Structure formats: C-alpha cells, structure tokens
C-alpha cells in the first residue's frame, strides 16, 4: 500500500522557499548577462514568468543604458556589494515610472554571477508623503482657526462701513463700495470653506458597500458634469465592506471624479474615466500609542486618460491652495486627503500623460475584531499615522 506521503507534492528546497517568500524581486545574473534564476516577486515586477525570465538577458528587461547594468559590472570587477537608490527601471511594458533601490552583490559560490535585489520605492514614498500630509493638516487646521476668529469679525466691520458709505456716495463711488462688499463676502466664503479643516469631531463609521457609493457618484456625474464621458468599471464583486462614513466617501469620490472629468474635458469622444476596486493585502498603518496596526487592504481607484498632473506639483498635490486650475481654490484635494485621513486611510496620485490614477487605500469593516479609531489618536485629528510596510 502506498503511504500518503508518496502522493504529496514535492517540497521545494529550503533556499528556494526562502527566496520565494521574500517580498522583493531577486535575480541571479550570469557572467554573460543572462538571467539564471528569479523569485516569485520578480515575476510580478517584470510581469512575466520565471521560465521566460530565464530566457532573457537583463539588458532586454531594463531601459537602455540603465545604471543597473553598469552597477553589475562594477560589482563583478570589485567583488564587493554596492547599493544605489532611486533608480528608474520603468519601461513601456511594465510601467513608465518604476523607481527602485538596488542592492547588488557577488555570489561567491559562483564566480562571475551577481545577485540583484530590487526594492520598490512606491510604497515607501507613499508613506513618507502621508507624513507630509499630516504636517500640512496641522497648518491647515491652525490656519482655519485663525481665519475664523481673527478675520471674519473685522470683515464684518469693513462691510458694514462700506454699506454706510454707499448710502451717501455718488454713482461712481458706489461702484467702489459695492466692490468692497463683494470682496468681503468672497473672503468670508473662503474662510467658511476653510473651517471644515478644523472639524476634529470623531467620524461616525460603519460597514459601507463601496460599489454602491461609486454607482451613486457615477449617476451624479453622468447627469451633470460628466454627461458625455465614457465610464469603465472594473470591480471586485467579492470585496468586503469598507469601514467608513458613506456620505463622506461620496464626497471624496465625487470630488475625484469631477477632477477627472475636468482633466479629460478637451478629449471629446476619447474622454474616459475608469473606476476600479480591488483587494490588496500588505499595507498597514501603525497607530501611535497602540501595539496594533490598521490594515488597509481595500484599494479604490479613479483613473483618467487626461494630460496628467505636472511633475513638480505631484509631491504637494494634496496640500491646500495647490491647484492646476486657473479658477480653482486648491482646497478640493486637501479636503479629500483630510477625509481619507480621518478614516485612517491613504490617498496617492500617480500621473503620466494619458494615465492619471488617484488611489485610495482603506480599512475593511470587521465584525470579529474592533477597529482602531484614528480620530482618537493623540497627535493630529483626522490625519494618518506613521506607516510601515509589511509586504508588497
């Protein structure tokens, strides 16, 4: 009789198992530049199988003249490991912007063979930018409080004085007093919009079906500002509920879709907005004062094929008063970032011509384990905590 062990799948060697467990792409490069071996993460990074990778030369996978090729030759000549940071390995096939940190070392057991490990900077930079958003939120909250208490009252007096002068002014002077009143009203309206950033009350949250939210936003958009724009939906129907406030989520995605519609307004029949949802385990945020971390496995994206966001604006896109619109106030995306932060989530923008993506990562609703409430943290209400990367 055959034992059960005879029918088990063969267990891979320990070294191979450890290599495949690593979240970072690892390649073994032969002296002639051919790829000898690769782990599972490398398959995902280059979007081809290991068997196909083994038939490729490294220079066929990376951009022409890539610093990685020179780095390998340097390591091969010196026999010492070398690290290099923020190297772009993007190609049209795997994506136009794929910045990585390179860790290159010789394999002493095989002379001339080089081990290359890639560490994508996308997640790390995303987390760093969240800290920038926290700092911006502090500034906005302080500014909102100052504006509300120190500016609105004097403006009321200025407007009242202008109205009194208007009663006795000539027709020409009356135009100037009316201008004073209109500008005072405009400043008050701006201050009122700013005051929302100072609202640090806890957000009432519960289970929300994100697809219902996106469908509602889509209907609103198609009945108004996005009437002639094509919508493409790629949803994961098995997605669990998100832990959120439904009204605020509608506000977030309505704002993002409106921005996308304005970005593609000049494309005519080629204008397209894509809405996607997916489950992406691996990103967690640490919460100050707690040992637990908040997992952010739910990914919601709003994509458009517009001209893209200028590269110099990307790092500060969610700061207040930063805008590409001639008549915009620059508060819409800042408010979006605040709401997402209030929910303990992350929002990030990736942009290149004809492909701009606003990506929101959120916690899912759980009935078995209480969720940490980011609104009760000791640092800044309504902003994400410092983040750490588990796997990606």
């Amino acid at each position: 009789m055959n034992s059960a062990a005879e029918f088990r799948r063969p267990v891979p060697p320990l070294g191979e198992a450890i290599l495949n467990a690593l979240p970072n792409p690892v390649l073994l490069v032969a002296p002639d530049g051919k790829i000898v071996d690769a782990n599972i993460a490398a398959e995902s990074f280059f979007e081809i199988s290991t068997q196909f990778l083994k038939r490729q030369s490294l220079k066929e996978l990376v951009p022409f003249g890539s610093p990685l090729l020179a780095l390998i030759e340097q390591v091969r000549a010196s026999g010492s490991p070398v690290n290099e940071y923020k190297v772009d390995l993007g190609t049209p096939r795997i994506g136009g912007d794929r910045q990585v940190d390179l860790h290159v070392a010789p394999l002493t057991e095989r002379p001339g063979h080089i081990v290359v490990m890639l560490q994508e900077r996308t997640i790390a930079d995303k987390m760093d930018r969240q800290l920038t958003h926290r700092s911006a939120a502090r500034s906005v909250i302080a500014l909102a409080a100052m504006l509300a208490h120190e500016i609105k009252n004097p403006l009321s007096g200025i407007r009242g004085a202008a109205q009194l002068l208007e009663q006795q002014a000539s027709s020409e002077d009356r135009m100037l007093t009316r201008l004073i009143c209109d500008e005072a009203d405009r400043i008050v309206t701006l201050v009122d919009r700013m005051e929302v950033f100072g609202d640090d009350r806890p957000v009432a949250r519960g289970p929300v079906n994100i697809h219902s939210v996106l469908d509602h936003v889509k209907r609103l958009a198609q009945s108004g500002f996005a009437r002639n724009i094509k919508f493409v939906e790629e949803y994961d129907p098995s997605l669990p509920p998100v832990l959120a406030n439904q009204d605020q989520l509608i506000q977030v995605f309505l704002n993002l879709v409106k921005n996308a519609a304005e970005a593609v307004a000049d494309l005519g029949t080629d204008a397209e907005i894509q809405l996607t949802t997916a489950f992406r385990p691996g990103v967690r945020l640490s919460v100050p004062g707690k040992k637990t971390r908040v997992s952010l496995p739910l990914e919601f994206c709003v994509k458009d094929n517009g001209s893209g966001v200028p590269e110099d604006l990307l790092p500060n896109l969610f700061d207040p008063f930063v805008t590409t619109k001639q008549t915009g106030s620059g508060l819409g995306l800042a408010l979006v970032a605040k709401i997402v932060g209030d929910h303990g989530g992350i929002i990030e923008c990736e942009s290149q011509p004809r492909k701009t993506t606003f990506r929101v990562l959120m916690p899912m609703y759980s009935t078995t384990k209480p969720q940490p409430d980011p609104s009760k943290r000791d640092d800044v209400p309504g902003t994400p905590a410092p983040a750490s990367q588990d796997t990606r």
Side-chain angles (χ1 to χ4, degrees), residues 27-244:
L27 301 171
L28 178 60
V29 183
D32 61 357
K34 293 288 186 181
I35 295 174
V36 178
D37 205 354
N39 67 349
I40 293 176
E43 291 184 344
S44 176
F45 181 86
F46 291 104
E47 299 181 359
I48 51 179
S49 68
T50 299
Q51 294 302 318
F52 189 78
L53 279 171
K54 290 180 180 180
R55 298 198 295 267
Q56 300 291 307
S57 173
L58 183 61
K59 65 181 180 181
E60 297 174 326
L61 298 176
V62 300
F64 177 77
S66 171
L68 174 57
L69 302 176
L71 205 62
I72 289 176
E73 293 305 319
Q74 177 185 340
V75 171
R76 188 174 283 126
S78 65
S80 302
V82 175
N83 298 333
E84 188 159 332
Y85 302 95
K86 288 192 175 182
V87 176
D88 187 7
L89 293 186
T91 63
R93 185 172 56 81
I94 66 174
D97 185 12
R98 299 294 292 274
Q99 287 207 351
V100 299
D101 294 340
L102 299 175
H103 308 275
V104 184
L107 187 63
T108 55
E109 292 79 6
R110 292 191 184 184
H113 286 68
I114 302 296
V115 176
V116 178
M117 186 177 77
L118 315 176
Q119 184 173 6
E120 284 200 82
R121 295 195 58 87
T122 306
I123 294 298
D125 288 346
K126 180 183 298 183
M127 302 307 181
D128 289 343
R129 280 196 284 269
Q130 297 309 309
L131 300 181
T132 302
H133 296 162
R134 293 179 66 203
S135 177
R138 289 190 182 99
S139 301
V140 170
I141 291 171
L143 180 61
M146 184 272 291
L147 286 172
H149 292 90
E150 303 298 333
I151 293 183
K152 290 178 72 173
N153 288 338
L155 280 176
S156 177
I158 292 172
R159 194 183 192 286
Q163 288 177 320
L164 290 175
L165 289 174
E166 186 177 7
Q167 296 175 2
Q168 301 176 357
S170 64
S171 57
E172 293 182 358
D173 291 340
R174 202 170 286 123
M175 293 177 59
L176 296 177
T177 58
R178 175 47 48 191
L179 178 63
I180 294 173
C181 292
D182 291 344
E183 289 301 295
D185 291 341
R186 187 176 65 85
I187 295 173
V188 169
T189 301
L190 180 61
V191 172
D192 289 339
R193 292 187 63 189
M194 288 291 297
E195 283 185 314
V196 70
F197 291 97
D199 186 0
D200 58 0
R201 291 172 296 179
V203 179
R205 297 184 294 166
V208 175
N209 185 329
I210 187 61
H211 299 133
S212 297
V213 169
L214 293 178
D215 287 342
H216 180 70
V217 168
K218 177 187 171 184
R219 286 196 301 270
L220 289 176
Q222 288 182 322
S223 63
F225 56 82
R227 184 176 293 107
N228 300 317
I229 296 176
K230 176 185 177 183
F231 277 79
V232 177
E233 298 160 288
E234 293 185 5
Y235 295 162
D236 180 352
S238 64
L239 216 61
V242 57
L243 178 63

